[in-house]
Amino acid sequence: MSFRKRNVALSGTLAPHPKSDSDTLPAAIPGVRASPLDGRLTTSTGTSSLDDILGHSGFALGNSLLIEENGTTEFGTTLLRYFAAEGVVQGQEVHVVGVGDPWARDLPGVSIAACGDIVPLESLTGPEKERMKIAWRYERLGDFGAGQSSARATPAINRKPEIDSSNEKDPIPTTAFCHTFDLTKRLKISNPKSLNFIPIHLIKPQNESPFHSVLQCLRGQLTLSPSSIIHRLIIPNLLSPALYPPHASNPQHVLQFLHSLRALLRQHPRQLVIFITLPIMLYPRSTGLTRWMELLSDGVIELSPFPHSMDTGPSATLSGAATAQEETPQGMVKVHRLPVFSEKGGGGNSGDDLAFTVSRRKFVIKPFNLPPVEGDSVAQRGEGEGKPIKVNIEF
């Protein structure tokens, strides 16, 4: 019986392994980074609290989010404007369906806090310097490890510009992943070509889909643009009678349109993300059409504004706010389904009650806390002062 040595090297050289698209670094694309959960590429929605709710500290590329809104308010449109403004600032392509140029004039401007001065490490002393040196790469990932509920409770600290810590004397800020926007300011668009408005023709035959031109324009843009360009598709007030013809709500038109959008997301999983708002006051969730639209979307959240009568009572000043310094919430947020959370499952709501607050300068989603029970003077005093009450204990 003959034996052969197993440690003899084979002659010849091995061909180098060709690099695939998955080997490219996410940092090469502005506004895109890897998820701290499973490494998939994500981009920001422009709202830091919404990024935390989505589970990846951002919105995973190749997914769609359906925002349902009750009533006649425009809170969903505000989220869309944040989403569009973030895309414009990051140099991405933004496509808006059914509206014209005036819609872009209301995009919020970048807040001064997002462009703050970078403090050199030499000016810090003690634990602050140690914290700045060690936690640059960890703070920007958000609170995903502490669970979904804790990430909602505490906004992530990953919204400031990333710092190259290799040069401690002169840190070089890079592009921020999520900017802070101010609703009282207006965004100055340096490159008008970054915004593409796709019109909806109101006068069309009943048997012809009004969404055909949208799909044709989007396919052309995705085909001609390089793979490093991210495209954001925004569809405000889908099926609204003010923007769409009556036959647009025909299931054979709108459902086929959502099917085609889902196919484009799967064909371009690293280039396309979609935000859609739907007025469920006109199309309730109890109807089959809305249910099918939810099934064809990767994520579904619902905004339920509080009635106007809640703001008139004297007890409404602190309703839902943990302290007197916090702003009063203006509605509830229901998470029906989230985009791909992980390959092991998930993507549902954790059961926490969420509320949203829209002020002149920000849009925040946070846990909803009920006010103290009437008659509980200790709790009411603590809430009014904004700090816990110290109780003397005698032994």
Side-chain angles (χ1 to χ4, degrees):
M1 185 179 223
S2 60
F3 295 93
R4 188 178 59 180
K5 291 183 179 181
R6 297 296 181 185
N7 58 353
V8 178
L10 297 177
S11 59
T13 58
L14 297 177
H17 178 68
K19 290 185 178 181
S20 60
D21 294 339
S22 61
D23 297 332
T24 58
L25 294 176
I29 305 177
V32 176
R33 72 179 181 192
S35 166
L37 189 66
D38 56 3
R40 70 178 71 246
L41 298 183
T42 62
T43 188
S44 176
T45 61
T47 307
S48 59
S49 54
L50 181 58
D51 288 344
D52 298 334
I53 289 175
L54 296 177
H56 292 275
S57 293
F59 189 46
L61 297 183
N63 287 277
S64 60
L65 183 65
L66 178 65
I67 303 174
E68 302 172 340
E69 184 171 4
N70 258 315
T72 58
T73 54
E74 292 290 335
F75 295 118
T77 304
T78 303
L79 281 178
L80 293 188
R81 287 196 171 99
Y82 274 102
F83 185 68
E86 182 67 36
V88 172
V89 172
Q90 299 287 4
Q92 301 172 354
E93 296 289 336
V94 180
H95 310 277
V96 189
V97 176
V99 294
D101 296 343
W103 192 87
R105 297 172 189 168
D106 294 331
L107 293 182
V110 179
S111 175
I112 300 177
C115 307
D117 298 332
I118 303 302
V119 180
L121 289 177
E122 284 76 5
S123 62
L124 302 178
T125 58
E128 293 184 356
K129 181 175 182 179
E130 228 17 69
R131 177 175 171 270
M132 298 288 281
K133 290 175 63 176
I134 296 176
W136 279 119
R137 303 303 179 190
Y138 295 96
E139 284 187 346
R140 68 186 186 89
L141 298 181
D143 295 336
F144 68 96
Q148 197 171 348
S149 58
S150 64
R152 295 171 180 175
T154 306
I157 318 175
N158 58 346
R159 315 307 170 192
K160 297 197 180 283
E162 299 175 10
I163 303 298
D164 185 6
S165 59
S166 59
N167 188 0
E168 297 182 358
K169 295 183 179 180
D170 187 16
I172 302 174
T174 58
T175 305
F177 177 74
C178 178
H179 294 78
T180 303
F181 294 97
D182 190 344
L183 291 174
T184 62
K185 298 180 179 180
R186 292 294 171 257
L187 183 65
K188 296 181 180 179
I189 304 174
S190 58
N191 183 17
K193 294 183 179 179
S194 60
L195 274 172
N196 178 29
F197 295 96
I198 307 176
I200 294 292
H201 301 287
L202 299 179
I203 303 176
K204 274 201 170 186
Q206 295 285 337
N207 57 352
E208 187 175 350
S209 174
F211 304 104
H212 178 71
S213 59
V214 179
L215 294 172
Q216 188 176 7
C217 179
L218 187 59
R219 288 194 186 101
Q221 293 287 339
L222 289 171
T223 304
L224 296 177
S225 65
S227 59
S228 60
I229 299 297
I230 305 300
H231 294 260
R232 300 187 178 214
L233 179 64
I234 298 173
I235 307 178
N237 296 324
L238 180 62
L239 302 183
S240 172
L243 301 175
Y244 295 86
H247 66 279
S249 60
N250 194 328
Q252 68 179 2
H253 295 326
V254 63
L255 294 184
Q256 186 178 3
F257 172 63
L258 294 178
H259 266 291
S260 302
L261 289 181
R262 194 176 180 89
L264 286 176
L265 286 170
R266 301 305 178 260
Q267 292 174 9
H268 306 274
R270 290 169 172 259
Q271 287 185 266
L272 182 62
V273 285
I274 301 176
F275 259 39
I276 306 173
T277 57
L278 177 69
I280 57 176
M281 189 176 183
L282 301 177
Y283 304 94
R285 297 189 70 238
S286 58
T287 61
L289 177 63
T290 304
R291 288 293 186 176
W292 270 108
M293 295 173 68
E294 292 180 355
L295 291 174
L296 293 173
S297 303
D298 297 303
V300 181
I301 64 174
E302 180 182 349
L303 303 180
S304 300
F306 292 141
H308 180 67
S309 58
M310 290 189 63
D311 300 333
T312 58
S315 62
T317 55
L318 293 177
S319 176
T323 64
Q325 285 76 21
E326 294 184 7
E327 298 176 354
T328 305
Q330 295 165 286
M332 300 295 294
V333 178
K334 300 177 183 178
V335 181
H336 298 299
R337 189 169 71 252
L338 292 177
V340 182
F341 186 74
S342 69
E343 299 298 338
K344 297 180 181 179
N349 188 11
S350 64
D352 297 337
D353 293 329
L354 299 175
F356 65 89
T357 302
V358 182
S359 64
R360 295 179 61 190
R361 297 184 182 277
K362 59 184 178 179
F363 192 112
V364 178
I365 301 175
K366 58 184 180 180
F368 180 72
N369 302 312
L370 291 175
V373 180
E374 185 177 356
D376 191 354
S377 58
V378 176
Q380 289 178 352
R381 270 202 320 274
E383 185 185 43
E385 297 173 4
K387 58 184 180 180
I389 298 297
K390 294 183 180 180
V391 181
N392 296 327
I393 301 177
E394 296 181 359
F395 294 95

